[in-house]
Amino acid sequence: MDEIDVYLRRRSEIYTWMARNSIAMVVLEDTEGRRDPAVRYFSGHPSDALLILTITGHCVLCPWDENLAYQKAQVDVVVPYTDFGRHPVAAIKGIAEQVGAPHRSRIEIPAVTPYPVFLRYVEALPEYDVLCRETGVHTEIARMRSIKDETEIALLEKACAITNDIMDRIEDQVRSGKIATELDVALLIEKEARKAGAEGTSFETLAAGPSRSWGIHAFPAYTSGAFPAQGLSILDFGIKFEGYSSDVTMTFASGPLTTAQEKQITLVEKAYKAALEIYKPGNFTRDASLKVDEIFRKAKKTMPHGLGHGIGLEPHEGPAVRNREDNDWVFEPGMAVTLEPGLYDPKHGGCRLENSILITEQGNRPLTRSRIVRLG
Amino acid sequence: MDEIDVYLRRRSEIYTWMARNSIAMVVLEDTEGRRDPAVRYFSGHPSDALLILTITGHCVLCPWDENLAYQKAQVDVVVPYTDFGRHPVAAIKGIAEQVGAPHRSRIEIPAVTPYPVFLRYVEALPEYDVLCRETGVHTEIARMRSIKDETEIALLEKACAITNDIMDRIEDQVRSGKIATELDVALLIEKEARKAGAEGTSFETLAAGPSRSWGIHAFPAYTSGAFPAQGLSILDFGIKFEGYSSDVTMTFASGPLTTAQEKQITLVEKAYKAALEIYKPGNFTRDASLKVDEIFRKAKKTMPHGLGHGIGLEPHEGPAVRNREDNDWVFEPGMAVTLEPGLYDPKHGGCRLENSILITEQGNRPLTRSRIVRLG
């Protein structure tokens, strides 16, 4: 399937949904503070734009950077943002008129629209019914994006293959002593990712030596401190290839370890294996999380974060894999999700094992080969 | 002034404002997708938390990572997020009860709260009047944060001093040929920033060789492509020191240049100088922007972005320096702002000159020494 067809096919699903739900116009917005990669998903335009889909099957892009749009966007029309004085509300009003959205029809804006901005839309569009809903087109898009199509799986596989190569290189350089600090490992990742053609890392690499690995997300993300060193060191990173993110965490266990540290490793590995059995089509994602909770609870431990999340155009997207009661996601073939049990102790440090996993018809297929690396 | 006093003094300004405006409780939230460094500004806790200020002068932190809070936060009480099943709305309801906020009093939540989430707050807090306003406590905090106190100026000066050293090093290595690609220069910045004790870069370094410098913000931010090379190359970066961000852009002009490129450089430098004259207490920031527009318009050029913005705990914060009619910011002593005129041409590439500038009683003091570097 060529590139243009991919976007057309994705949009046509939404046009159908709009027809069924009587929505005349859907507004997507990617802007500083409110990123929405759905703009890229439906148009190829990477960032900073409004994307408007109409029930009549038209797709209008209003980009901050017009030149970038002419290079990247696969849409019906590009309307410069400057035509509307760089005001999103004015742009939507203008575009609604240009595409001839019938008065009294329904326009759905992003669910993350701040309440005061929502009021501005309502004020500016008195002829329309402006919807901003927790459950609406954005839920539908999240559900759609949670199941990767062939194009997406190929890109994720590429991101994960680069990640695997980088992990192997890191392990080699850790063992040979070439990597001595958090900074060393973080810069190696940045460099190798870009050299392999990636857009970069998909989030700030988190490299925490033993004195800092107790933090779920160490702050700062990396320093010039020792990495690894005696005890438990955590390395959490992902790389982004044509927009698609991998996500892995390695733990380096440098002996001699305390009994508590050995126990952390054993428990995390046990939880990982047990959860992977549940990462299969038809199972509730919540059940994988509850299984891990149970294993940790028996050892009087608690995991202070979710068990996993979808990956794709965002490093965190649907499905959620966590124990909250309102989580009703079910694993389906085509989902790409992380599995990342971890335990943290202010005294003994942290241990986390994370891979990126594709749910398949048969069960699952790990796309990455992260591991707990034992040293010395 | 010691560290704790700084936070107490900042909070006391807000307590006074709350008393004047009859707000019983103010809620600040820093979370993925809705970052708010005001949490750090008032508490020292770096990220991912709810911060609650009460009219009775109490400050409660509800952090995602409890261990991090015990290390970093200077607050009256830390309440673990897990006490509320990790639901922000439940946390606010619980804390309102714990601090004894009187029924029928006013609770102000972040102005960026999505409309559907706002509805959840209203539903969960029927005893209170929930405010989510475009102009409210968050405007007041932005205004307060736009004027840096002594502690902040010292941190910005440190961030800018590191930035200056890095710029000198970059110019040296560009001239000696040691830097040959966008990747080289971006990694050098990451490395030198962390080695100098910075938390990292404050946004993704943007290094664009001549074939990509036409983009306001090149995409991807940097690649393994040549940098610099014949023509115009842009390097936009900032570093973050204890939370505070510098922001500079260098242009490398590698001859021979076209007449159009020479003209871009001359115009950008002219606009920069003219605008700097207006960066003085009492002047409207909009007037600096209009002056630059005028210079460019005379040459039949347009700048596709704002002229500047405040810097501090965010790489973009108040004041805005732009030409929109609703911009009524006035330069005041203590403001730290960028000045960044630029011109872009799909054929000839882009040229931008940006420095970080402190507004003083007397006028202004550039904190960074960026420049347009002419090569060969």
Side-chain angles (χ1 to χ4, degrees):
Chain A
M1 203 184 294
D2 81 16
E3 202 199 6
I4 298 175
D5 288 344
V6 168
Y7 300 118
L8 288 179
R9 194 189 47 66
R10 291 177 188 163
R11 295 201 292 258
S12 81
E13 268 198 50
I14 295 299
Y15 296 142
T16 306
W17 183 92
M18 290 169 72
R20 273 199 204 117
N21 291 273
S22 307
I23 307 288
M25 213 170 108
V26 160
V27 176
L28 305 178
E29 182 183 23
D30 182 86
T31 188
E32 195 174 339
R34 292 196 299 281
R35 290 287 160 213
D36 185 4
V39 169
R40 188 172 188 176
Y41 181 75
F42 288 115
S43 75
H45 186 76
S47 71
D48 295 293
L50 291 162
L51 187 76
I52 292 90
L53 303 173
T54 72
I55 197 167
T56 51
H58 285 88
C59 177
V60 180
L61 186 81
C62 182
W64 293 193
D65 186 337
E66 212 182 323
N67 293 328
L68 185 63
Y70 292 130
Q71 276 215 342
K72 299 275 185 185
Q74 304 287 351
V75 295
D76 301 322
V77 190
V78 172
V79 184
Y81 193 40
T82 42
D83 284 6
F84 306 104
R86 302 182 161 267
H87 277 285
V89 176
I92 295 307
K93 187 182 171 67
I95 292 166
E97 283 160 12
Q98 284 177 21
V99 301
H103 285 187
R104 285 191 292 279
S105 65
R106 309 206 294 168
I107 297 182
E108 184 155 16
I109 64 172
V112 295
T113 306
Y115 175 52
V117 178
F118 168 73
L119 295 180
R120 291 206 165 229
Y121 274 106
V122 170
E123 191 186 9
L125 296 163
E127 306 85 359
Y128 299 96
D129 185 9
V130 178
L131 306 183
C132 177
R133 308 183 289 182
E134 196 157 333
T135 303
V137 70
H138 302 87
T139 335
E140 179 61 17
I141 293 172
R143 188 207 56 74
M144 188 177 157
R145 283 179 50 206
S146 76
I147 314 280
K148 270 63 190 175
D149 59 33
E150 274 176 42
T151 311
E152 295 183 286
I153 291 173
L155 293 172
L156 277 169
E157 283 174 335
K158 181 73 186 167
C160 289
I162 296 172
T163 305
N164 285 330
D165 287 348
I166 293 176
M167 286 195 290
D168 290 346
R169 192 179 290 252
I170 290 168
E171 183 171 345
D172 284 351
Q173 295 201 8
V174 161
R175 290 191 184 279
S176 71
K178 203 170 160 195
I179 286 173
T181 66
E182 295 168 1
L183 185 58
D184 288 342
V185 72
L187 291 187
L188 177 75
I189 293 166
E190 282 297 336
K191 186 170 156 186
E192 295 300 327
R194 311 249 175 185
K195 271 169 64 180
E199 286 171 8
T201 45
S202 41
F203 50 88
E204 199 177 16
T205 293
L206 201 154
S211 67
R212 314 193 313 126
S213 64
W214 53 265
I216 305 171
H217 278 173
F219 177 85
Y222 55 95
T223 70
S224 49
F227 182 101
Q230 194 196 326
L232 302 175
S233 303
I234 281 181
L235 175 65
D236 188 345
F237 75 98
I239 77 111
K240 187 151 70 160
F241 187 83
E242 288 185 23
Y244 285 80
S245 289
S246 63
D247 191 355
V248 293
T249 305
M250 307 176 82
T251 294
F252 294 88
S254 192
L257 300 180
T258 64
T259 313
Q261 287 166 340
E262 287 288 2
K263 194 170 171 192
Q264 272 176 288
I265 295 176
T266 309
L267 279 168
V268 166
E269 287 183 331
K270 185 177 173 186
Y272 182 90
K273 274 183 206 160
L276 193 59
E277 290 294 314
I278 305 175
Y279 272 49
K280 285 178 181 164
N283 288 334
F284 282 99
T285 70
R286 183 165 185 255
D287 287 341
S289 188
L290 291 175
K291 180 70 189 174
V292 168
D293 287 352
E294 182 196 325
I295 289 169
F296 289 162
R297 195 172 47 245
K298 278 185 186 158
K300 297 190 169 47
K301 308 271 184 197
T302 315
M303 179 166 73
H305 56 72
L307 182 63
H309 52 81
I311 51 171
L313 281 172
E314 283 170 296
H316 290 116
E317 58 181 51
V321 185
R322 58 182 175 190
N323 59 13
R324 274 170 53 160
E325 281 181 24
D326 58 359
N327 173 19
D328 58 2
W329 284 95
V330 171
F331 288 113
E332 292 182 55
M335 284 181 170
V337 278
T338 68
L339 168 55
E340 49 180 311
L343 289 172
Y344 312 86
D345 183 308
K347 196 167 152 211
H348 297 280
C351 174
R352 181 162 70 246
L353 174 59
E354 177 185 20
N355 274 305
S356 298
I357 289 159
L358 183 69
I359 306 300
T360 60
E361 295 287 348
Q362 294 74 34
N364 65 57
R365 176 160 61 89
L367 300 178
T368 54
R369 292 182 273 100
S370 182
R371 57 264 183 186
I372 295 174
V373 179
R374 287 180 175 270
L375 305 165
Chain B
M1 203 184 295
D2 81 14
E3 201 201 4
I4 297 175
D5 288 346
V6 168
Y7 299 118
L8 288 179
R9 193 188 49 64
R10 289 176 189 164
R11 294 201 293 257
S12 82
E13 268 198 50
I14 294 300
Y15 296 142
T16 306
W17 183 92
M18 290 169 72
R20 275 200 202 115
N21 291 272
S22 308
I23 306 288
M25 215 170 105
V26 160
V27 176
L28 305 178
E29 182 184 22
D30 182 86
T31 188
E32 196 174 340
R34 292 196 300 282
R35 291 287 160 212
D36 185 4
V39 169
R40 187 172 188 177
Y41 181 74
F42 288 115
S43 75
H45 186 76
S47 71
D48 295 295
L50 291 162
L51 187 76
I52 291 91
L53 304 173
T54 72
I55 196 168
T56 51
H58 285 89
C59 177
V60 181
L61 186 81
C62 183
W64 293 193
D65 186 337
E66 212 182 323
N67 293 329
L68 185 62
Y70 292 130
Q71 277 215 341
K72 298 275 186 187
Q74 305 288 350
V75 295
D76 301 322
V77 191
V78 172
V79 184
Y81 192 40
T82 43
D83 284 6
F84 307 104
R86 303 182 160 266
H87 277 286
V89 176
I92 295 308
K93 186 182 172 66
I95 292 167
E97 283 161 13
Q98 284 177 20
V99 301
H103 285 185
R104 285 190 293 280
S105 65
R106 309 206 293 168
I107 296 182
E108 183 154 15
I109 64 172
V112 295
T113 305
Y115 175 53
V117 178
F118 168 73
L119 294 180
R120 292 207 164 227
Y121 275 106
V122 170
E123 192 186 9
L125 297 163
E127 306 86 358
Y128 300 97
D129 185 10
V130 179
L131 305 183
C132 177
R133 308 182 290 182
E134 195 157 337
T135 304
V137 70
H138 301 87
T139 335
E140 179 61 16
I141 293 172
R143 189 207 54 76
M144 187 177 158
R145 284 179 48 206
S146 76
I147 314 281
K148 270 63 189 175
D149 58 34
E150 276 176 39
T151 311
E152 295 184 285
I153 291 173
L155 293 172
L156 278 169
E157 282 174 336
K158 181 72 186 169
C160 288
I162 296 172
T163 305
N164 284 330
D165 287 348
I166 293 176
M167 285 195 290
D168 290 346
R169 191 179 292 251
I170 290 168
E171 184 171 343
D172 284 351
Q173 295 200 9
V174 161
R175 290 190 184 280
S176 70
K178 202 170 161 195
I179 286 173
T181 66
E182 295 169 0
L183 186 57
D184 289 340
V185 71
L187 292 187
L188 177 75
I189 293 166
E190 282 297 336
K191 186 170 158 186
E192 295 300 326
R194 312 250 173 182
K195 272 170 63 181
E199 287 171 8
T201 44
S202 41
F203 51 88
E204 198 176 17
T205 293
L206 201 154
S211 66
R212 314 192 313 125
S213 64
W214 53 264
I216 305 171
H217 278 174
F219 177 85
Y222 55 95
T223 70
S224 48
F227 182 100
Q230 194 195 326
L232 302 175
S233 303
I234 281 181
L235 175 65
D236 188 345
F237 76 99
I239 77 109
K240 187 151 71 162
F241 186 81
E242 289 185 23
Y244 285 80
S245 288
S246 64
D247 192 355
V248 293
T249 304
M250 308 176 81
T251 293
F252 294 88
S254 192
L257 301 179
T258 64
T259 313
Q261 287 166 341
E262 288 286 2
K263 193 170 171 193
Q264 273 175 288
I265 295 176
T266 309
L267 278 167
V268 166
E269 288 183 330
K270 185 178 173 187
Y272 182 92
K273 275 184 203 159
L276 193 59
E277 290 294 313
I278 305 174
Y279 272 49
K280 286 177 182 166
N283 288 334
F284 282 99
T285 70
R286 183 164 185 256
D287 287 341
S289 188
L290 291 175
K291 180 71 190 173
V292 167
D293 286 352
E294 182 196 325
I295 290 168
F296 289 161
R297 195 171 47 244
K298 277 184 188 158
K300 297 190 170 47
K301 308 270 184 198
T302 315
M303 179 167 74
H305 57 72
L307 181 63
H309 53 80
I311 51 171
L313 281 172
E314 284 171 295
H316 290 117
E317 59 182 50
V321 185
R322 58 182 176 191
N323 59 13
R324 272 170 55 160
E325 281 182 22
D326 58 0
N327 173 19
D328 57 2
W329 285 96
V330 171
F331 288 113
E332 292 182 56
M335 283 181 171
V337 278
T338 67
L339 169 54
E340 48 181 310
L343 289 173
Y344 312 85
D345 183 306
K347 196 167 151 211
H348 298 280
C351 174
R352 180 161 72 245
L353 174 60
E354 177 185 21
N355 275 303
S356 299
I357 289 160
L358 183 69
I359 305 300
T360 61
E361 295 287 348
Q362 294 74 36
N364 65 56
R365 177 159 61 88
L367 300 177
T368 54
R369 292 182 271 100
S370 182
R371 57 265 183 186
I372 295 174
V373 178
R374 286 180 176 270
L375 305 164

